[in-house]
Amino acid sequence: MTKTLLRSGDLDDFQAVGGGGQAVFDSALQIRETLRLRKQLALVDCLAIPQVNDESDRVAWYAPIEGKAIAWKAADADTRERARRFLHNTFESALALSRKSLQSDKTAQQLFGALLEKALQFPGENHVYLVDGKPVITFWGFINLNENTRVDALACLTLPEPEPVIEQLPEPPVDTIPEPVMFSDGDKPLFTPPPPLPEPPFTPVEMPEPEPEIAIPLIPEAQPQPEKTVPARHRRIPLWSLPVAAVVVAAVAVPLLWKQRATAVEPTPVVTQAPAPIELPAPADLPKLTAGLPLHQADVVKAKEENVAEKAKPEDEPVVIAAIPKDALVMEAGELKAGTTRFLNGSWRVLGDIKDPTGNAPSLRYQIQNNKGTARVVHGKNIVCRADIFSGLHQNGELLIKSRGAARCADGSRYPMPEITCKAGTSDVAQCTGRYDARTIVPLTFKKTGA
């Protein structure tokens, strides 16, 4: 039966994850078979089948079930939501199995639990396909370079919340200006009076004759007699007495007005008090100056204090510069600024607190030239393993040394290789760490053994 090819790519484009010192990809087929034996068929159908090429640098992923395959983004929202819920339930069952295996007393069960937990990681939604409506994940056990594992492996498949739709209310109608009224006949009146109502027909009405009035004699009223008025007598004053009266009034008023003006103009005297004299205290006797020389020189207290403080300071201790070992890995600042790693060319022995399953420290040697090289590992009973490696500088100035997967051993097994990160320390001596997985990070030291 021919399987459907879903995706292929270089192993160097992604970062492998694992647990217990072993990568998930190295045991991908064993993990799928173990899940099948444990009746986890839903999860088995969600994990694509990997196939590595002869050079072990590319991998192709095939669908485990038959049907038409479409990309995750090509499906509609409802189909993706159903597939996401299916993956969520399947992953919950897988995590429960992983936790149960990690609590086992058997080492093999613990290793399976650690690998199963990391097997659920994948780079992103571009690596998920829908085959016959069911989700299938490629590059499971890998994440993007320079990224960490996600707490929720399905977070990249969550549909974004729809943006709220803002309804725009229609604008109120603009008040239209009424059209001017045009009169065609300006001479005609605006209002036409109503036609006159027809007069009702005249009907003569017979009026009764008035009765004859009876005349009553009136008694004449007595008329009031007019009162007799006595004419008033007017006393005449002779004209010659007016000038005489004016002279008398002037003679009496002038002395009175003159006396009143004299009393108003007379000023009142103002009494001023002279200020009391201020008695100043007698000046104290000043010291007499003598012409005798020399005078005393001025003294500055602050300068004296500074001189005393300088004398009290202890002498600066000599700076001790530690000698740099000849075989140490020195990350020269000039080469880092130029973006080159010529300081890494040569043969190196890597030392670290690493133990293999037998309890012995493996021998790890690197041969690097122009950011490419090989790694040689000797562990256990003189089992030799080799792996291709490459190096480069990160934007933050750190040196990265990675391998193209696990090392291939002479007995057919695989040995995990650390991802090494170095940064310049004291005197530019490299401080390196090796990361085998998210929980296993050990310090490493590089010793040069040859050019």
Side-chain angles (χ1 to χ4, degrees):
M1 181 178 60
T2 305
K3 300 292 184 180
T4 303
L5 175 63
L6 299 178
R7 191 183 182 94
S8 62
D10 294 335
L11 294 175
D12 298 339
D13 296 338
F14 304 95
Q15 179 181 341
V17 295
Q22 187 173 347
V24 173
F25 180 70
D26 296 336
S27 305
L29 298 178
Q30 291 86 343
I31 293 174
R32 294 187 78 259
E33 182 63 20
T34 304
L35 291 173
R36 188 185 65 82
L37 294 176
R38 296 203 174 194
K39 307 300 182 182
Q40 299 290 330
L41 301 181
L43 181 58
V44 173
D45 292 341
C46 293
L47 302 178
I49 303 173
Q51 185 173 349
V52 186
N53 64 348
D54 296 337
E55 288 77 13
S56 298
D57 57 351
R58 289 183 61 85
V59 60
W61 299 87
Y62 293 90
I65 56 179
E66 294 182 356
K68 182 181 178 181
I70 60 173
W72 177 265
K73 290 184 176 181
D76 54 20
D78 295 339
T79 304
R80 283 185 290 176
E81 180 61 22
R82 287 194 300 269
R84 193 191 65 81
R85 288 198 300 265
F86 177 78
L87 283 176
H88 177 76
N89 297 333
T90 305
F91 279 23
E92 287 295 330
S93 302
L95 291 175
L97 178 60
S98 172
R99 289 190 293 267
K100 182 179 179 181
S101 300
L102 288 173
Q103 295 174 359
S104 176
D105 297 335
K106 298 180 180 180
T107 306
Q109 293 292 334
Q110 295 177 1
L111 178 60
F112 172 73
L115 292 176
L116 180 58
E117 180 184 2
K118 300 300 180 182
L120 304 180
Q121 299 287 333
F122 57 95
E125 62 178 0
N126 294 331
H127 300 78
V128 181
Y129 294 84
L130 295 176
V131 182
D132 196 18
K134 297 181 179 179
V136 178
I137 301 174
T138 63
F139 280 94
W140 50 276
F142 288 89
I143 59 176
N144 291 320
L145 295 176
N146 302 323
E147 289 187 2
N148 297 325
T149 57
R150 295 185 296 273
V151 178
D152 183 8
L154 300 177
C156 59
L157 301 182
T158 304
L159 296 177
E161 296 182 359
E163 297 182 356
V165 179
I166 302 175
E167 296 183 357
Q168 296 184 355
L169 298 177
E171 297 182 357
V174 181
D175 296 338
T176 58
I177 301 175
E179 297 182 358
V181 180
M182 304 298 292
F183 297 99
S184 59
D185 298 332
D187 297 334
K188 292 183 179 181
L190 295 178
F191 300 98
T192 305
L197 297 175
E199 296 181 359
F202 176 75
T203 305
V205 179
E206 294 182 358
M207 300 294 291
E209 294 182 359
E211 296 179 358
E213 296 180 359
I214 300 173
I216 301 174
L218 298 175
I219 300 175
E221 295 179 357
Q223 295 182 355
Q225 296 181 1
E227 295 180 356
K228 296 181 180 181
T229 59
V230 181
R233 295 180 180 180
H234 299 281
R235 187 178 180 181
R236 297 182 66 181
I237 300 173
L239 297 174
W240 58 264
S241 62
L242 294 176
V244 175
V247 171
V248 172
V249 171
V252 175
V254 168
L256 294 175
L257 293 175
W258 179 262
K259 186 178 181 179
Q260 185 178 1
R261 184 179 178 186
T263 36
V265 171
E266 185 178 357
T268 58
V270 180
V271 180
T272 58
Q273 295 181 0
I278 300 173
E279 296 181 0
L280 298 175
D285 296 336
L286 300 175
K288 296 182 180 180
L289 298 177
T290 58
L293 294 177
L295 296 175
H296 290 289
Q297 189 175 1
D299 194 4
V300 181
V301 179
K302 187 176 180 181
K304 276 189 175 183
E305 292 178 356
E306 291 180 356
N307 292 337
V308 172
E310 289 180 0
K311 291 180 181 180
K313 281 185 179 180
E315 296 183 357
D316 295 337
E317 298 180 358
V319 179
V320 179
I321 301 176
I324 301 175
K326 294 182 180 181
D327 54 355
L329 174 59
V330 179
M331 301 173 63
E332 299 181 4
E335 294 188 10
L336 291 178
K337 189 175 182 180
T340 63
T341 57
R342 286 180 294 181
F343 57 83
L344 191 59
N345 294 341
S347 300
W348 303 89
R349 182 183 178 187
V350 182
L351 305 177
D353 188 11
I354 310 171
K355 301 293 182 181
D356 57 13
T358 61
N360 298 324
S363 174
L364 185 59
R365 294 180 181 270
Y366 282 67
Q367 177 67 39
I368 304 175
Q369 191 70 28
N370 297 330
N371 292 330
K372 293 182 180 180
T374 57
R376 182 174 179 270
V377 183
V378 180
H379 70 96
K381 297 180 181 180
N382 293 329
I383 301 175
V384 180
C385 307
R386 299 180 184 274
D388 295 334
I389 59 173
F390 61 96
S391 62
L393 288 176
H394 200 267
Q395 294 179 354
N396 57 5
E398 293 183 350
L399 175 66
L400 301 179
I401 305 174
K402 296 183 178 181
S403 63
R404 301 181 185 276
R408 293 176 176 272
C409 302
D411 60 351
S413 62
R414 296 291 188 91
Y415 190 85
M417 297 297 296
E419 178 182 332
I420 301 176
T421 303
C422 301
K423 59 182 180 180
T426 306
S427 302
D428 294 339
V429 176
Q431 296 179 353
C432 304
T433 57
R435 184 170 69 91
Y436 286 88
D437 53 44
R439 301 177 182 176
T440 308
I441 301 176
V442 295
L444 300 177
T445 304
F446 276 71
K447 298 291 185 181
K448 195 165 188 177
T449 58

